[in-house]
Amino acid sequence: MAQGAGLAGYVRLLRHGPAIRPFVAAVIARLPISMAPLSMILLIQHVRGQYGIAGVVTGVYALGAAAGSPIWGRCMDRFGQLRVIVPTALSSAGMLVALAVITDRGAGNVALLICAALAGFAFPPVGPGMRAAWRIIYPDPTARRVGYALDASAVELIFVGGPLLLSLLLVITPAIVPLLVTAGLLAVGGVSYSLSAAARSFRPVHRDRRPTGGGRSAISAPGVLAVLAVNLVMSIGFGQCDTSLAATARQILHDQARLGVLFAAIAGGSAIGGLWYGSRHWPGPEHRRLPVSLGIFTVALVPLPLLLGHRPSLWALLPLLFLAGLAIAPSLIMQQNILDGLSPRHQVNEAQSLLTAASTSGAAAGTALAGIIIDAGGARWSFAGAAIAIAGAATVAIVSQRRWDATAQPASPADQAAEPAPR
């Protein structure tokens, strides 16, 4: 199906049954990405009156997710999406329910950490699965880019919609309900996605059918490690940005409730940037544009630490955050597209899961680093650290250009023909 360019491409995608059904289910299943950590913090703080253990629990949850993602991605390549996503979605949702119940009943720290680690480890690989499913829905790489763009922009909106839903639930329900609702969304979304035609049509490539040139792991494919390195360093900057926004709301604006507005500005800019980037046809290889996008992101962050030294108002910060956000989703789309071209067809789920693991690990490291920097010098220095990290990601992308030039290949007609089409 030819998508076309501009907004018409998104309209055609949203009217295409094999695309819209898994896409909507995947969005629902990924709402817990933004809701689960915040729900844990709110519930644990409500019961214990402490933020310290709440932060540790959410950190363990993130580390569990980073550890599990590559494993489940590799399992999808071997056994298919249905057999992996349904059990992991139900298992992770079950552990979130258990965490909510034992927290509400006053369980000890060890029990909370175990439940959080298991919930994170079992988190279903819906994101990597959806990115791999675009190959089935749209074998043509040009049309597939529209799906990647819409998907990346939807993820950014998740970080706006998820906290807003939690805020509503906190007003009208007990503190345990948000985490229970998060678990329900994960289970319903994960199972619904797995039952879609795109997920069921994915066929694992058995060992005796695998093309030559692929190693035991997708990370061994030429050029893949460089993409993961760019994403890891960039995500360290993301983690610092997120924590810096929280500190800005508390230390500069003196109103923690304004944190949602700050996040909405940068996430809204990212969503718009992603939709704009995906709606256009771009000449030349994708990897040539990645350093440019990351450079724009870096330059947009530079005024923030300078401005925070003068105690700015909320309205002075919002335009800068929006401008910085414009480059985020395009950078992520580029990385997904580059990885799509570099990954052997029989390891596409694992490769995209490795990207998720790099993102999760980098964000966790950036969050921890930002906490140290903020305690030492305040939010302005943490924003400066974020700018340095994004500049580092741009540098890695520049250094990797020659390798990507030598290894990036478009999907061959044979590979495209081998992909089953959803009914």
Side-chain angles (χ1 to χ4, degrees), residues 33-277:
I33 294 175
S34 64
M35 295 177 64
L38 187 56
S39 297
M40 293 177 195
I41 291 175
L42 293 172
L43 178 58
I44 294 173
Q45 195 280 332
H46 175 78
V47 174
R48 299 283 191 88
Q50 299 175 337
Y51 281 102
I53 182 60
V56 174
V57 170
T58 56
V60 168
Y61 173 80
L63 291 176
S69 183
I71 296 174
W72 304 131
R74 196 164 189 175
C75 287
M76 283 196 296
D77 286 325
R78 184 173 182 181
F79 303 111
Q81 295 192 6
L82 178 63
R83 295 181 181 180
V84 175
I85 292 180
V86 169
T88 53
L90 296 178
S91 298
S92 184
M95 295 311 302
L96 288 177
V97 171
L99 177 61
V101 172
I102 66 173
T103 300
D104 192 58
R105 295 184 178 180
N109 293 344
V110 174
L112 301 187
L113 293 173
I114 292 174
C115 281
L118 292 175
F121 183 79
F123 193 88
V126 175
M130 186 68 243
R131 291 195 290 270
W134 290 120
R135 279 193 172 195
I136 298 174
I137 300 168
Y138 298 117
D140 176 60
T142 302
R144 193 184 309 148
R145 184 181 292 113
V146 178
Y148 279 144
L150 186 64
D151 196 58
S153 300
V155 171
E156 294 302 320
L157 292 177
I158 283 170
F159 285 93
V160 178
L164 289 177
L165 176 57
L166 283 181
S167 299
L168 175 63
L169 291 173
L170 285 172
V171 172
I172 61 177
T173 66
I176 192 176
V177 172
L179 191 52
L180 296 177
V181 170
T182 299
L185 291 172
L186 181 60
V188 171
V191 173
S192 297
Y193 169 79
S194 299
L195 296 178
S196 68
R200 289 186 289 108
S201 296
F202 183 88
R203 297 290 183 268
V205 179
H206 299 292
R207 186 175 298 272
D208 58 351
R209 295 171 52 199
R210 290 179 179 178
T212 59
R216 291 187 176 182
S217 172
I219 202 172
S220 64
V224 167
L225 185 59
V227 181
L228 299 179
V230 171
N231 187 269
L232 177 67
V233 179
M234 183 184 69
S235 297
I236 292 174
F238 285 169
Q240 292 185 80
C241 277
D242 289 350
T243 309
S244 300
L245 289 174
T248 298
R250 182 178 65 253
Q251 297 177 354
I252 306 298
L253 302 178
H254 305 293
D255 185 357
Q256 197 68 34
R258 294 186 174 182
L259 176 59
V261 180
L262 296 176
F263 270 110
I266 194 167
S270 179
I272 292 174
L275 291 172
W276 173 79
Y277 180 81

Side-chain angles (χ1 to χ4, degrees), residues 10 139 141 146 155 216 221 280 307 313 339 376:
Y10 296 115
V146 178
V155 171
R216 291 187 176 182
R280 298 174 62 87
L307 187 62
S313 68
L339 196 63

Side-chain angles (χ1 to χ4, degrees), residues 373-421:
I373 295 174
I374 290 169
D375 286 342
R380 60 180 302 197
W381 293 108
S382 181
F383 268 121
I388 293 172
I390 303 301
T395 302
V396 176
I398 292 171
V399 172
S400 303
Q401 290 298 305
R402 185 171 296 179
R403 169 172 283 274
W404 288 335
D405 279 332
T407 57
Q409 298 291 336
S412 67
D415 280 349
Q416 292 180 16
E419 299 285 3

Side-chain angles (χ1 to χ4, degrees), residues 255-306:
D255 185 357
Q256 197 68 34
R258 294 186 174 182
L259 176 59
V261 180
L262 296 176
F263 270 110
I266 194 167
S270 179
I272 292 174
L275 291 172
W276 173 79
Y277 180 81
S279 69
R280 298 174 62 87
H281 290 299
W282 298 91
E286 197 95 48
H287 58 264
R288 297 285 179 83
R289 295 187 290 275
L290 182 56
V292 177
S293 178
L294 292 171
I296 293 172
F297 188 15
T298 302
V299 172
L301 286 176
V302 169
L304 288 170
L306 300 176

